[in-house]
Structure formats: structure tokens, C-alpha cells
Amino acid sequence: MQHDDVLWDVIGNKQFCSYKVKTKTQNFCRNEYNITGLCNRSSCPLANSQYATVKEEKGQCFLYMKTIERAAFPSRLWERVKLSKNYEKALEQIDENLIYWPRFIRHKCKQRFTKITQYLIRIRKLTLKRQRKLVPLSKKVERRESRREEKALIAAQLDNAIEKELLERLKQGTYEDIYNFPIHAFDKALEQQDEESETDSSEEEDEDVGQVEYVEGDEIDESDLSDFEAMDKLEVDGEEEQEHSSIAEEQEKETSISKGKTPVKGLARKKRPFVEIEYEQETEPSAKASST
Amino acid sequence: MEAPAGRARREKMAAPAGRSAPGEDGGGRNAAARGGRKGRGPARGPADAQFPPSFSVSEIKNKQRRQFMFQRWKRARRQEQLAARKKRQKEREALGDKAPPKPVPKTIENQRIYDETTVDPNDEEVAFDEATDEFSTYFNRETSPKILITTSDRPRGRTVRLCEQLAKVVPNSHVYYRRGLALKKIIPQCVARDFTDLLVINENRKVPNGLIVSHLPNGPTAHFKMSNARLAKELKRKGKDPTLHIPEVILNNFSTRLGHTIGRMFASLFPYSPQFVGRQVATFHNQRDYIFFRFHRYIFRNEKKVGLQELGPRFTLKLRSLQKGTFDSKYGEYEWVHKRHEMDTSRRKFHL
């Protein structure tokens, strides 16, 4: 005999039910045939001899029914009806199969069926879209790679490599006359003398105004100095330079904009500024004339 | 009472004989049993002209003592090495010009396992291949590059800013946001609008971590892992913004056949003839399979010195896979895939 009430009395409140999951506010039922998922007197599949559910398997929905007549035959207990793929037809099928059943079960079956179809639709839509593939990272490998990257960075000596490459290109002449560095062997032999004379000329510039002996050197200085002018705008050391630089500024601005040149880091070259600005200002027009 | 006293006396006698006086195994064990006095065996008289039995610091069971002995051993070894080095230096100075040349230190680069696909500059086959591959139209100046830069879905601030900065660095590039569109669908649209390259920056946890470069008409697709991406404003000592001049390109150390392909791919991102007036240079430097990207402005101080100023973003790339054809991860034909268990076994083997 089926004593539903006794059963519920035992498993519902007083003693243990293995399908029950208790939380602070709610009790859930983990039984696969439960229609609502909650642990209630009316939704417990064990405590109701007449019960029905809708379950989904591989995209197909089935209506499961259990009646008291078959309570003695557990293997035949649940009767399964395949529901149509058409939503309305399936609802009619449910109604038809559960025709004289309690309202609660009918309603809940239809609700559950609706929910299932909705999530099936969503699954189908999502599988068509691109899905984010999660690739597991191995911490050991990641750490190893980042260590190797650091070491490779140190071994690369990037700045040196780039500078070397640029100087190579300069030597090979890819820059063709933009920079007029003499590349004759004659000048290479006089390298050291050139360096000395450069430092000398910076001191002499004050005295010898018109000394334009090293034509190429002047052009370099002009391009360098045009940048230094702009840099010195930012880092002014004294008032003198401000006056000089402000006059020379406007002229320099035009040239710098037209040539697209921008200040180079002049922080490392502070030893030169004072003298050069005065030189510039005096010979500005002559230098301009020579370049054009 | 006698025996222990005798033993103690023998210990004291043996002490000056050698600080790391050897102990045989039996002696060592005795020492351990005694609670870690120096690992000495029974004292030997001077008449025993035997080879000192080997002594290993690791045989001392007492951890404190063992650590102490190890430190002492290490210190002694370091002093020996310093002394040896000083001696060598003195000899070298004494010899002056006749000194033998300094031995070249071994680095990973010069110990690199020779890769059979290393490209020989005079190789005709390679030259022929390169004349007929997908980049040949670029190198023959028939097409000029037009780049589309995009990201993965829902990019965060860093990635967006990196895209913008990349767009400034690479001339003729456009940034478009990808709102959930599939790459396979946007590729035909790009081809229709004459884009030559597609750059996709992949993002994870608010940080860009991947780069896909796809050469468009039907060209290869390379997938890189990106790391250490720094935006322009995070670099120290930066200059002004990059101007619109076409930068030069430097490709360093792409030596194998695969490296060549990747190098050409990078080269084809930039227009063929750079404007030297702009003095900007984009560098792709390959070192041990890591490709470092930098963007600099240079100035020649004189014919021996050049100054560099870093503008623009920087990042590191590591090639993960190269696929023939445009992006198709499922059905594409992969020319090269990085297989960790096969390719990462040797520290001296590199593929690019």
C-alpha cells in the first residue's frame, strides 16, 4: 500500500532524505524526476504516487508519468511519452496525457517543458556563434618563457644593435646626401683630429665668427643646434640664453616645423649650450644663406 | 672514561692537521653519531702517506653543521678562483703583446644548434621562392599596404590605447572595433575594400596577450604570443608623438626559412619606400625566438654616433603558429606549429 502521507512525514521533515539539499532559506530536491526541484509535499516524487515530469534527453523532450497502479513494479513504474518538437503540439500532448490529473502537476509540467525548450533554443544559437576557447596555461611554462624572454632581451642589446644597423646603412649610402658625413678613407685617418677640432671649434666660436672652414661640420651643427634651440626652450639655464633663444626661436620654429624635426634628448649634451647659442645668433643669417 | 678521553685527545691532535680533514665512511658516521664534530675519522700519524679519502660535505647529517661546512667550502673555492684569475691576469700583462688571445666565452647564440633551414644569402631556391610567394607583390611594389587593426571582443583600455598607438606607428592603418563579428566574415569584406593586412590583438584579463597577423588576399597568417606590451606614455624619456613620415624598418636575426617568411611579413606591413626625413625606425629584432618590437627616432650626431629616442609602443612576440591562407584555425593548413614537447627540449635550438 502506498502511504504517501506517512512517507512524507518521514522523509520530509523528521528523518533523512538522501535527495534533500538544505540551504538557509530553501530546501531543494535532487531527485531526477522532481518537477520543480524544490523539496515540497506536492513536488516530492517519492511522496506522491501519482506524479509526472518532463525530462530532456539529447534535445528530445519526454513526458514521464507514474501511477499508483504500477507502484508494485518498479521497473515499469515510469511511463514515457515522447513529446512533439512543435511547441504547441507538445503542450496539447501534455494536456492530453495528463487529462484528469491534478492541476498543479499539469501546470508545472507545462512550465518545465517551456523552460526546457527555451534553453534548447539558446544552446542551438550559441553553438552557431563563435565560442571562446579556454586554453589552460601551465604556470611552469609561463614562468620559464618569461625568464627566457628577459634573458633574451639582455642578450639582444637592442640599442646597440639598432645603432649599428643605422650606422651600417649610413655607410652604405642608403641615406644619400641627406647627411653629409664624409666617408672617405682620408677622413677616417683624420678621425681623431676631427674630434679634437670639433671640441676646439666650440671654444673658438666665440672669437672667430666667420670661420666657415669645415663646411660639412657647419651643416651638422645647424641641424643639431636647431634641435638644441627647441630643447633649450624647455630647459633654460640663464637669462642671456633666453634673450638669444627667444629671438632665434621664431626663425628656428619655422625651420623645425618644415623639416619635421623634433628635439633630441639634449640632457646628455649640456656641456655645449652657452657658447653655441651666441654663435647661432650672430651668424644666423649667413648660415641660412649658405644652406639655401 | 678512558676511552672517550683518549678519543677527545686524538681529536684535538688531528684538528690542526687539516680543517676539512677527511673521514672515511666509518669515521664520518662516527662523527655524525658524536653529534657533528668535524667529519674526521680516526687520527692518522704522519707516517701514513696515503691519499686523503674523499670527503663530501653532503654526507654530514647535522643540518647546521653541514650548512656551515658548505659555506666554508664555497668561500674557499671562491678565493681559489679569484687567486687563479689574478694570476692569469698577471701572466697576461707580463706577456704583453705575446699573450694568447682571450678565449671567447660561450653564449647561447654561439652554441646554437645549426638549423638546417638557415637561409644562405646566395641560395637560388630561396630567392626563387621569395620571388613567387605571397609577398612578392609587395616587394615588386605592385601593392602598397593598407592595414586593418582590430581586437578581440570587448577590449579594455590598455588594448584600445595600444591599437591607437600602433595605428600611429604603422602608416595607412585603420582601427575598427569588432563587435562580436567572426573573423572569417570580416576577411572577405576586408579583401573587398583592398586591405592588405589584418592585425588582431587578442586580449586576456585586461592585458593584450596575442597578435594575429594575416596577410590578406590569400596570404599566410601568423599567430604570436604578445608579452610585455608597453604603451608610449609608459616609456621613460619619450619624445613627441610619431610624425606621419613613413618609418624605416629594421629586421634583425631572421635567419632560418621560417624566420625569413616572418620577416617578410613584418616588412610588408610598412610601405616600401621610407621617408628618411622623418628619421623614424621600426625594429623587429629576433633573439632566441623572441621578436622584440621597438619604435625609435634617431639622429646622427656624427658619422660614428647615433642617438636614439624611443617613441611608440613596444612589445615582445613569440611565434606560435604559421598557417597558410587567411585565418582559419580549424581547417587551415599549418606550416609550422610550436609544439612544446618536441621543440622546447633543447636550450640551444631556435626556430626563427
Side-chain angles (χ1 to χ4, degrees):
Chain A
M1 300 298 279
Q2 280 296 307
H3 303 287
D4 294 341
D5 293 322
V6 174
L7 205 58
W8 176 250
D9 208 29
V10 169
I11 62 178
N13 292 317
K14 291 200 185 137
Q15 292 196 24
F16 179 72
C17 172
S18 67
Y19 297 106
K20 189 194 270 192
V21 174
K22 279 173 106 165
T23 53
K24 277 192 197 147
T25 46
Q26 266 280 26
N27 288 346
F28 294 101
C29 182
R30 277 194 309 123
N31 193 318
E32 51 172 341
Y33 289 100
N34 190 313
I35 198 167
T36 53
L38 309 173
C39 186
N40 284 328
R41 173 67 183 88
S42 41
S43 338
C44 185
L46 306 172
N48 289 302
S49 1
Q50 192 184 41
Y51 199 76
T53 333
V54 176
K55 278 199 341 179
E56 173 260 327
E57 199 176 328
K58 290 190 195 152
Q60 303 264 29
C61 296
F62 297 95
L63 172 67
Y64 285 79
M65 290 175 288
K66 145 174 133 157
T67 45
I68 199 166
E69 286 87 29
R70 297 196 300 270
F73 314 108
S75 65
R76 289 178 245 154
L77 186 58
W78 289 98
E79 178 192 340
R80 182 163 97 159
V81 173
K82 183 163 160 187
L83 295 174
S84 145
K85 296 246 168 122
N86 185 332
Y87 182 68
E88 278 93 29
K89 280 220 190 100
L91 288 181
E92 280 172 15
Q93 267 180 307
I94 293 178
D95 262 332
E96 189 188 308
N97 278 302
L98 300 180
I99 189 165
Y100 296 117
W101 285 52
R103 211 175 19 204
F104 174 79
I105 295 199
R106 256 187 287 143
H107 180 60
K108 288 297 178 190
C109 276
K110 286 191 225 162
Q111 264 191 343
R112 196 179 167 93
F113 175 70
T114 312
K115 216 28 153 217
I116 289 177
T117 46
Q118 283 173 351
Y119 82 59
L120 285 177
I121 291 171
R122 199 145 172 256
I123 291 176
R124 275 181 231 128
K125 216 193 310 180
L126 282 178
T127 49
L128 289 178
K129 268 196 181 177
R130 302 163 304 127
Q131 277 170 17
R132 202 165 279 218
K133 183 176 172 191
L134 295 177
V135 176
L137 296 176
S138 159
K139 194 157 61 155
K140 173 178 164 190
V141 172
E142 293 306 306
R143 259 195 269 147
R144 191 190 339 158
E145 295 208 335
S146 64
R147 246 183 319 180
R148 288 196 182 163
E149 188 190 318
E150 280 168 19
K151 295 192 178 169
L153 182 61
I154 295 171
Q157 293 176 344
L158 280 172
D159 288 341
N160 287 353
I162 298 177
E163 287 173 13
K164 224 170 43 160
E165 178 68 28
L166 289 172
L167 287 171
E168 277 280 324
R169 290 189 183 182
L170 181 65
K171 267 195 209 147
Q172 282 173 356
T174 38
Y175 299 136
E176 292 165 8
D177 294 341
I178 300 182
Y179 308 102
N180 272 324
F181 298 121
I183 315 182
H184 312 295
F186 170 73
D187 277 306
K188 281 198 184 126
L190 292 177
E191 240 184 333
Q192 287 178 348
Q193 290 192 11
D194 277 337
E195 282 175 6
E196 288 167 33
S197 62
E198 261 182 72
T199 50
D200 285 339
S201 65
S202 65
E203 296 157 23
E204 287 168 12
E205 274 154 21
D206 223 354
E207 306 142 20
D208 298 321
V209 169
Q211 183 165 15
V212 203
E213 206 173 327
Y214 302 98
V215 173
E216 296 96 347
D218 278 345
E219 287 193 25
I220 304 162
D221 286 339
E222 190 203 316
S223 65
D224 278 350
L225 290 167
S226 66
D227 299 329
F228 288 139
E229 279 297 311
M231 272 309 285
D232 284 313
K233 253 191 279 170
L234 306 172
E235 294 173 278
V236 177
D237 292 323
E239 279 184 17
E240 284 183 325
E241 292 161 36
Q242 268 182 344
E243 291 166 29
H244 293 308
S245 59
S246 62
I247 298 166
E249 245 183 54
E250 298 147 15
Q251 293 158 333
E252 283 307 316
K253 254 191 206 167
E254 298 169 20
T255 54
S256 61
I257 288 170
S258 65
K259 286 185 188 173
K261 287 188 180 139
T262 52
V264 188
K265 38 186 174 183
L267 297 170
R269 313 267 321 258
K270 271 209 168 164
K271 47 176 180 154
R272 282 230 202 163
F274 297 80
V275 177
E276 287 190 349
I277 287 175
E278 289 173 11
Y279 169 69
E280 272 245 334
Q281 210 237 326
E282 283 169 47
T283 61
E284 191 73 61
S286 67
K288 288 245 172 237
S290 71
S291 67
T292 53
Chain B
M1 294 303 284
E2 271 274 31
R7 239 182 279 138
R9 236 181 287 135
R10 249 184 278 131
E11 277 183 24
K12 284 193 195 143
M13 279 199 309
R19 63 180 157 73
S20 57
E24 291 172 341
D25 278 15
R29 259 180 268 129
N30 275 346
R34 265 179 262 138
R37 283 255 134 158
K38 307 191 182 181
R40 262 177 288 115
R44 293 158 180 275
D48 288 342
Q50 282 180 10
F51 224 78
S54 57
F55 166 68
S56 161
V57 174
S58 57
E59 279 172 17
I60 304 178
K61 301 289 183 187
N62 183 340
K63 182 168 177 175
Q64 250 186 345
R65 199 73 201 165
R66 187 171 63 234
Q67 284 179 345
F68 173 77
M69 293 299 283
F70 179 70
Q71 279 172 13
R72 218 210 261 184
W73 174 82
K74 234 171 104 166
R75 229 176 286 149
R77 204 172 109 99
R78 190 163 353 136
Q79 279 171 358
E80 282 169 29
Q81 283 184 338
L82 272 177
R85 196 196 299 176
K86 280 206 177 120
K87 205 174 94 172
R88 254 182 281 135
Q89 249 190 345
K90 273 205 190 117
E91 282 174 13
R92 177 170 283 278
E93 278 170 31
L95 284 179
D97 282 333
K98 288 179 277 171
K102 271 193 183 171
V104 177
K106 292 191 206 171
T107 64
I108 292 187
E109 279 76 32
N110 50 25
Q111 303 293 93
R112 177 177 175 175
I113 295 176
Y114 175 70
D115 196 336
E116 55 220 5
T117 61
T118 307
V119 170
D120 182 24
N122 309 326
D123 202 343
E124 294 169 349
E125 206 185 306
V126 170
F128 178 70
D129 270 341
E130 295 189 349
T132 51
D133 77 353
E134 295 102 349
F135 303 112
S136 54
T137 53
Y138 165 78
F139 284 103
N140 293 337
R141 312 221 199 175
E142 289 162 26
T143 52
S144 78
K146 190 173 171 202
I147 320 270
L148 178 69
I149 303 183
T150 182
T151 65
S152 55
D153 280 344
R154 297 188 173 258
R156 313 290 290 192
R158 263 192 89 92
T159 319
V160 168
R161 270 177 273 149
L162 180 68
C163 284
E164 289 170 14
Q165 286 172 8
L166 259 187
K168 270 193 244 165
V169 161
V170 178
N172 203 8
S173 57
H174 307 264
V175 182
Y176 283 102
Y177 290 126
R178 188 146 77 106
R179 285 134 98 252
L181 297 169
L183 273 184
K184 288 197 207 167
K185 291 206 182 113
I186 67 177
I187 283 180
Q189 289 185 19
C190 289
V191 176
R193 290 180 207 192
D194 269 345
F195 279 97
T196 56
D197 286 277
L198 175 67
L199 241 62
V200 183
I201 296 183
N202 191 52
E203 189 207 14
N204 185 30
R205 290 221 199 154
K206 307 182 193 176
V207 144
N209 73 346
L211 177 70
I212 298 179
V213 182
S214 187
H215 190 74
L216 271 185
N218 48 4
T221 307
H223 175 39
F224 296 94
K225 176 173 96 132
M226 191 196 287
S227 46
N228 279 350
R230 296 252 173 287
L231 303 175
K233 68 171 182 149
E234 291 168 6
L235 301 170
K236 293 184 190 166
R237 301 231 202 145
K238 83 165 193 86
K240 289 193 187 153
D241 290 327
T243 58
L244 294 173
H245 295 107
I246 297 178
E248 291 174 56
V249 180
I250 290 183
L251 300 165
N252 273 345
N253 282 352
F254 288 97
S255 55
T256 64
R257 193 73 190 80
L258 177 67
H260 248 247
T261 318
I262 302 289
R264 282 161 72 79
M265 182 177 253
F266 284 132
S268 70
L269 291 178
F270 293 88
Y272 196 82
S273 34
Q275 294 173 313
F276 298 119
V277 181
R279 286 187 291 134
Q280 290 174 138
V281 57
T283 310
F284 293 91
H285 180 105
N286 171 38
Q287 187 82 16
R288 304 184 192 176
D289 278 356
Y290 289 96
I291 302 173
F292 298 100
F293 170 77
R294 299 285 185 272
F295 191 73
H296 290 278
R297 184 177 281 131
Y298 63 87
I299 180 166
F300 284 107
R301 305 271 168 83
N302 56 36
E303 65 180 33
K304 290 274 150 187
K305 275 202 301 178
V306 59
L308 287 180
Q309 189 187 40
E310 185 157 5
L311 340 158
R314 62 153 81 160
F315 46 81
T316 323
L317 299 172
K318 185 162 202 278
L319 181 67
R320 278 225 209 116
S321 66
L322 179 65
Q323 180 209 331
K324 259 189 177 341
T326 55
F327 180 76
D328 191 341
S329 53
K330 273 199 262 179
Y331 306 112
E333 179 197 336
Y334 281 94
E335 250 185 67
W336 187 86
V337 176
H338 179 250
K339 297 197 179 113
R340 188 160 60 86
H341 291 287
E342 295 170 14
M343 298 181 184
D344 267 357
T345 46
S346 164
R347 275 178 223 249
R348 292 175 202 88
K349 185 158 173 45
F350 305 114
H351 310 279
L352 276 188

